[in-house]
Amino acid sequence: MIARSPGRKSLSLAVAFGLAALAANAQAQQAAAPAQEEEAKTLAGLTVTAQKREEAMQDVPISITALPEQLLQDTGVRDVKDLQVLVPGLTVSSTQSEVQTVARIRGIGTVGDNAGLESSVGVVIDGVYRPRNGVGFGDLGEIERIEVLKGPQGTVFGKNTSAGVINVITRRPSYDTTVEGELTIGNYGAVGAAGSFNTTIGENAAFRVYGSKRKRDGFTDVEVGRGPRAEREDGDQNFHTLRGQLLLEPTENLDINFIADYTSREENCCVGLTTVRGPTSAIINGLVGGIGVAPVADPFARRAWSNRPTTQDIKDKGLSAEVNWITPWFGGATLTSITASRDWQAINGLDFDFTSADMIYRDADPNESFTGFKQFSQEFRLTGSTDKIDWMVGLFYADEDLKRNDSYSLGAHYEPYLSTAVLSQIAARFPPGTVNMANAATFLSQASGQPFGSNFAGLGALDRYQQNSKSVALFTNNTWHATDQLDLTLGLRYTKENKELDSVYSNPNGGLGCGAALANPTRVGAALAARGVPAAARAALVQQVVGFMCLPWANTLHNGRVTNQERDEKEWSGTLKAAYRWNEHVMGYASAARGYKSGGFNLDRVQSSNGLSSGTAGIAPVNDTSFPGEFVDSYELGAKTTWADGNLLLNATLFHQTYSDFQLNSFLGTSFVVRSIPEVVSQGIDTEILWQTGLKGLMLQGGLMYADTKYGDDPLPDADLAKLPGARASFAPLWSASASVTYQWDFASSLIGRFNIGAKYSSDYNTGSDLDPEKGQEAYTVVNARLGIGAKSRRWMVEAWALNLFDEEYKQVGFDAPLQTGSWNAFLGAPRTYGVTFRVMY
């Protein structure tokens, strides 16, 4: 693909020459400096644990963004979604609920809302891998730092990922007695309180506990019609978090840290907003006897129509123990053990049609709407070093139980709506007046022979999925210091995955309409004839009408199905790196890596023309819903440079990543379909700056990324995905940039001021997996700002803050309005929020 894009080739050459010039210039600068001059250990001394040992960030041959506690606090980062304002190339979006949160790096991430797909970008919190991005989405509490590693990881982290890792390290207990607290008040009725207590327990133990409670009104006003929804706002916030840590250090060579945490979220999320209002809106308005959907497509008026609740109830709890023992073996190698047990569950009500008509919905009942993960994980690492080699070997084991209860309930308006919409679609194919549209709402009852109102009613689908996944991996990462300047790193991983899925499908309401149409399709033809449809067109139209009557949630062919699927995968992955330190100020590196993410099963009703996942649209149930693992071959060429006596870091990385069997989960209007895209290529340049300027208290952090991420040219079987071959991938802006400026100053005798302003820019991109132009998002910039005044002693500080300061309007995800041909909806980004936070520390 590079050969066909001279512009990108020129850019790559220009960057390569630029890096070379940068290295030469730095060498000259070093030669000119007096030999006795000692570099200031400021930014140059920043440490990370990206390779599971503490190292200076500038010595690590990985594209990494390291974000310290103060910067995260200044920017208002409380969860993974907030993080994207600081990291170019990182996008985090949510859809039907906060459960469906997806992170992407360099335009690559797991697309779709299906719990059966693992995450391309992993989230690791205090050494414990979270099974999906949504499971790791919550109040992160007291953060020591966050490291965002870009590209495939697996030779240093317990769980392999194909696109990157978000590594979150929270504050551990210390041997001081401290009390910290904060109180926040903001617009949309926001109120939040958080606090922590840290103390010693004797000479060799310390304890820390953190708790928070936050509430906020919703961002969207909801027209509920005739209900039964009572909540007239959506997108509110109501959660609390509690985390306790106990640190034991019985000897100078042994430390054990126990963590217990619990989070509860009881909110309403999420309604879709109309972005394109199609012709079916008139049918909806007729059914509700007024306005049932946005009269004008004005999504940023933040006014939605929804008659069913979007109640969201998420519980997350876990226990972990990390043991670090400096052993007497291998010259004092460190043995690390991380044992964790986690239990996460979510219940989410949903109005599928996003109108105030009572068509299709899911109740927030655990019997009908439940996704839960129970995970036990164990990781061992033995890390050591000699004069020439830094080495690490590890073992990772995870046993994950995934349970999902999925359902679709059909309301009183479903049958008359579908009947009218189908007959209208048929009539549009013929000259006006050909098809009799009188009492169109009764057409499908005529086609089935069942009484009107009995064809589709009540609980249409109730399916249960139970999946067990076991993962075992051996991994090693070793650096050979070949010379004082040259390091060579070899990392290898062997992964064995086993997944087994049991699925049980049922149609509690009997699926009368679909069953009758399948049993007697001639009656469907007779109903078409009675409506005046010409004989020559009837045969083809009979199949189409049956298809609409047997959409997945109403298809009686699924009723009583019980399936068992199992897949085993055994894969090698790894990395090879060379890092050359030209001098104290410049390090260049090159790397090649093979990444892997396991395959799985589509946890949804899947049906096609031939009963195979590869088939086109149809009504035959698919038993084999499996999809293969995702692989990536990644190459990087980078430089890390240190200037201005250690106060200025300039880093850049050229990258080229080729993904095979990329897992794409696409919503095609009625169901989610998983497709393995043969090839996706992501290539570009990732740059970063960290500058502690000559002006005391002034700090700059930022980055610029160019990422050309495209699907391969191979055609796909679905007409809905015809736009993909050769096109830029969804959620993949060509350009993205972030910048954060912080200034702190002293005034009066005992006070300080602190100001931070941060911004994230993204060029245009498409938010839909099928790349419909209606799902496009224009270029936009989000700006956050914070101004604080407090005591130099840090005993107290008052901060005024604003997130999305200029109220930038943008979509998170665009999607086809279900069952509403010609209409599109979107889940929106948050509007401007602002408030005041008061902090104390003793």
Side-chain angles (χ1 to χ4, degrees):
M1 293 182 70
I2 295 178
R4 284 179 285 174
S5 183
R8 291 197 296 274
K9 184 175 181 180
S10 299
L11 176 64
S12 300
L13 290 173
V15 171
F17 282 122
L19 292 175
L22 194 65
N25 194 10
Q27 280 184 301
Q29 180 191 64
Q30 173 66 12
Q36 70 274 15
E37 183 177 325
E38 185 178 20
E39 181 178 72
K41 299 301 181 183
T42 51
L43 299 179
L46 289 177
T47 60
V48 295
T49 54
Q51 298 189 121
K52 294 307 179 185
R53 64 178 77 242
E54 283 202 357
E55 300 172 280
M57 185 177 72
Q58 294 302 87
D59 291 335
V60 181
I62 296 175
S63 180
I64 178 173
T65 299
L67 305 167
E69 178 181 16
Q70 186 62 62
L71 179 60
L72 295 168
Q73 182 175 296
D74 288 340
T75 317
V77 172
R78 298 193 186 280
D79 56 45
V80 172
K81 187 181 289 186
D82 295 335
L83 186 65
Q84 60 187 323
V85 75
L86 290 171
V87 184
L90 173 67
T91 61
V92 185
S93 59
S94 299
T95 56
Q96 297 171 358
S97 75
E98 302 292 9
V99 174
Q100 276 91 36
T101 297
V102 176
R104 299 171 177 86
I105 293 177
R106 296 174 177 170
I108 298 294
T110 300
V111 179
D113 301 338
N114 199 313
L117 284 85
E118 295 187 0
S119 305
S120 297
V121 177
V123 174
V124 177
I125 303 176
D126 290 325
V128 179
Y129 172 79
R130 302 304 171 93
R132 304 294 185 271
N133 290 162
V135 176
F137 177 70
D139 185 6
L140 298 174
E142 299 176 295
I143 309 169
E144 180 180 305
R145 70 179 182 277
I146 296 178
E147 301 168 356
V148 181
L149 287 69
K150 300 168 185 177
Q153 307 295 325
T155 63
V156 289
F157 281 88
K159 182 70 175 176
N160 46 293
T161 60
S162 59
V165 166
I166 299 172
N167 185 29
V168 180
I169 300 100
T170 66
R171 261 202 269 171
R172 299 184 76 179
S174 65
Y175 287 92
D176 297 313
T177 298
T178 61
V179 177
E180 298 181 40
E182 70 171 60
L183 176 65
T184 295
I185 300 174
N187 63 333
Y188 291 98
V191 178
S196 68
F197 173 70
N198 185 95
T199 192
T200 60
I201 306 175
E203 295 183 353
N204 300 311
F207 174 73
R208 188 177 198 90
V209 62
Y210 167 84
S212 68
K213 169 70 174 178
R214 307 187 194 282
K215 296 187 69 174
R216 189 202 63 224
D217 297 337
F219 293 147
T220 304
D221 295 325
V222 182
E223 302 291 338
V224 301
R226 299 174 185 173
R229 177 178 179 131
E231 301 83 12
R232 294 185 174 271
E233 289 184 349
D234 196 85
D236 59 333
Q237 186 180 81
N238 179 21
F239 71 83
H240 60 267
T241 295
L242 184 65
R243 178 185 292 115
Q245 299 187 63
L246 174 63
L247 175 64
L248 305 176
E249 295 182 316
T251 73
E252 63 179 7
N253 292 330
L254 176 65
D255 69 73
I256 307 168
N257 193 42
F258 297 97
I259 303 177
D261 64 271
Y262 175 81
T263 297
S264 174
R265 302 179 68 118
E266 297 175 354
E267 303 162 350
N268 298 283
C269 184
C270 301
V271 290
L273 282 297
T274 301
T275 57
V276 177
R277 188 178 188 273
T280 57
S281 302
I283 304 174
I284 295 168
N285 290 343
L287 290 172
V288 302
I291 299 175
V293 69
V296 177
D298 183 12
F300 294 102
R302 298 186 184 272
R303 186 182 176 202
W305 276 255
S306 178
N307 73 302
R308 291 284 176 172
T310 54
T311 306
Q312 174 180 266
D313 187 353
I314 302 172
K315 300 290 188 290
D316 184 20
K317 58 186 177 181
L319 297 169
S320 68
E322 179 177 339
V323 181
N324 292 285
W325 175 37
I326 301 176
T327 71
W329 313 323
F330 308 110
T334 299
L335 177 64
T336 298
S337 169
I338 302 176
T339 308
S341 176
R342 301 208 59 83
D343 185 350
W344 179 92
Q345 54 187 258
I347 302 166
N348 190 218
L350 183 62
D351 188 339
F352 278 103
D353 53 273
F354 301 101
T355 74
S356 62
D358 197 25
M359 292 199 285
I360 184 166
Y361 61 94
R362 177 185 295 148
D363 280 327
D365 180 330
N367 186 56
E368 300 176 15
S369 168
F370 178 87
T371 302
F373 287 93
K374 289 186 177 181
Q375 176 184 271
F376 171 81
S377 63
Q378 174 64 59
E379 182 174 347
F380 292 108
R381 295 191 308 270
L382 187 63
T383 306
S385 62
T386 67
D387 289 341
K388 289 300 246 182
I389 296 177
D390 295 332
W391 56 270
M392 185 267 287
V393 293
L395 170 68
F396 176 75
Y397 171 77
D399 188 343
E400 171 192 294
D401 287 314
L402 165 59
K403 179 180 178 181
R404 185 183 188 204
N405 297 335
D406 193 26
S407 67
Y408 296 86
S409 292
L410 307 176
H413 290 148
Y414 179 82
E415 182 175 336
Y417 172 81
L418 185 63
S419 184
T420 304
V422 169
L423 191 60
S424 298
Q425 191 177 95
I426 293 171
R429 303 184 183 190
F430 304 101
T434 303
V435 176
N436 180 6
M437 294 295 296
N439 296 316
T442 63
F443 169 62
L444 293 184
S445 64
Q446 295 164 355
S448 68
Q450 301 295 317
F452 174 72
S454 67
N455 290 277
F456 313 97
L459 191 54
L462 180 59
D463 304 331
R464 312 209 184 282
Y465 306 90
Q466 293 194 46
Q467 176 180 288
N468 176 259
S469 175
K470 291 183 174 65
S471 177
V472 180
L474 291 169
F475 56 95
T476 182
N477 199 75
N478 310 284
T479 299
W480 173 39
H481 306 295
T483 70
D484 289 341
Q485 295 174 295
L486 177 63
D487 290 344
L488 299 176
T489 300
L490 173 66
L492 286 174
R493 179 189 185 92
Y494 176 73
T495 304
K496 181 179 179 181
E497 299 262 1
N498 173 266
K499 290 183 179 177
E500 185 171 3
L501 172 66
D502 292 310
S503 307
V504 179
Y505 303 86
S506 66
N507 291 61
N509 69 358
L512 295 180
C514 173
L518 292 172
N520 191 357
T522 57
R523 183 180 286 119
V524 179
L528 289 168
R531 291 285 179 170
V533 175
R538 284 179 211 152
L541 288 174
V542 165
Q543 297 304 314
Q544 293 184 31
V545 172
V546 172
F548 280 114
M549 297 178 75
C550 297
L551 292 170
W553 45 77
N555 189 347
T556 191
L557 295 176
H558 289 282
N559 191 38
R561 291 176 58 228
V562 177
T563 65
N564 174 268
Q565 301 181 72
E566 187 172 3
R567 63 180 293 116
D568 290 292
E569 298 178 11
K570 300 175 182 178
E571 301 292 346
W572 286 93
S573 55
T575 184
L576 180 63
K577 302 173 185 174
Y580 189 79
R581 179 157 289 285
W582 299 89
N583 55 50
E584 291 183 47
H585 298 271
V586 178
M587 186 268 283
Y589 66 92
S591 70
R594 172 76 163 173
Y596 156 72
K597 182 183 78 165
S598 67
F601 307 102
N602 187 350
L603 306 187
D604 201 356
R605 285 196 172 191
V606 182
Q607 53 191 53
S608 70
S609 57
N610 56 6
L612 301 175
S613 287
S614 58
T616 56
I619 62 172
V622 173
N623 289 326
D624 181 4
T625 67
S626 65
F627 50 86
E630 177 178 297
F631 295 87
V632 57
D633 293 317
S634 175
Y635 304 93
E636 294 189 354
L637 176 64
K640 295 195 170 184
T641 70
T642 306
W643 304 76
D645 295 326
N647 289 299
L648 173 62
L649 309 183
L650 291 173
N651 302 331
T653 303
L654 284 168
F655 61 89
H656 186 285
Q657 303 173 146
T658 300
Y659 288 79
S660 56
D661 288 330
F662 178 75
Q663 297 165 5
L664 177 74
N665 187 29
S666 184
F667 180 66
L668 303 182
T670 59
S671 63
F672 289 95
V673 175
V674 178
R675 289 287 180 253
S676 293
I677 308 299
E679 183 180 78
V680 177
V681 175
S682 179
Q683 57 187 345
I685 181 171
D686 187 357
T687 66
E688 183 178 22
I689 181 173
L690 202 58
W691 185 20
Q692 191 163 280
T693 69
L695 180 61
K696 182 181 177 181
L698 181 62
M699 180 80 176
L700 170 67
Q701 181 268 347
L704 173 67
M705 179 179 288
Y706 171 85
D708 186 16
T709 305
K710 289 187 175 181
Y711 297 113
D713 295 327
D714 302 85
L716 300 172
D718 305 281
D720 298 271
L721 302 180
K723 299 181 182 70
L724 269 62
R728 184 144 49 96
S730 56
F731 299 97
L734 199 61
W735 292 95
S736 61
S738 68
S740 177
V741 179
T742 304
Y743 179 56
Q744 181 173 305
W745 68 98
D746 298 339
F747 66 96
S749 59
S750 59
L751 298 178
I752 60 169
R754 188 173 183 87
F755 174 72
N756 173 270
I757 186 166
K760 172 70 174 289
Y761 165 81
S762 290
S763 62
D764 65 284
Y765 59 93
N766 195 289
T767 68
S769 55
D770 56 5
L771 300 183
D772 280 349
E774 291 81 3
K775 301 171 185 176
Q777 170 58 51
E778 297 179 351
Y780 68 99
T781 301
V782 173
V783 178
N784 298 342
R786 185 174 297 256
L787 174 63
I789 297 175
K792 285 183 181 180
S793 63
R794 304 282 179 172
R795 286 294 178 89
W796 63 269
M797 177 164 276
V798 179
E799 301 169 350
W801 53 267
L803 304 180
N804 193 4
L805 176 63
F806 299 109
D807 203 18
E808 186 78 349
E809 298 176 342
Y810 63 99
K811 306 170 192 170
Q812 288 193 78
V813 179
F815 61 99
D816 300 77
L819 295 176
Q820 300 167 61
T821 302
S823 293
W824 283 266
N825 292 349
F827 300 108
L828 305 182
R832 174 174 51 227
T833 56
Y834 52 86
V836 176
T837 296
F838 177 60
R839 304 182 193 275
V840 294
M841 181 175 70
Y842 292 95

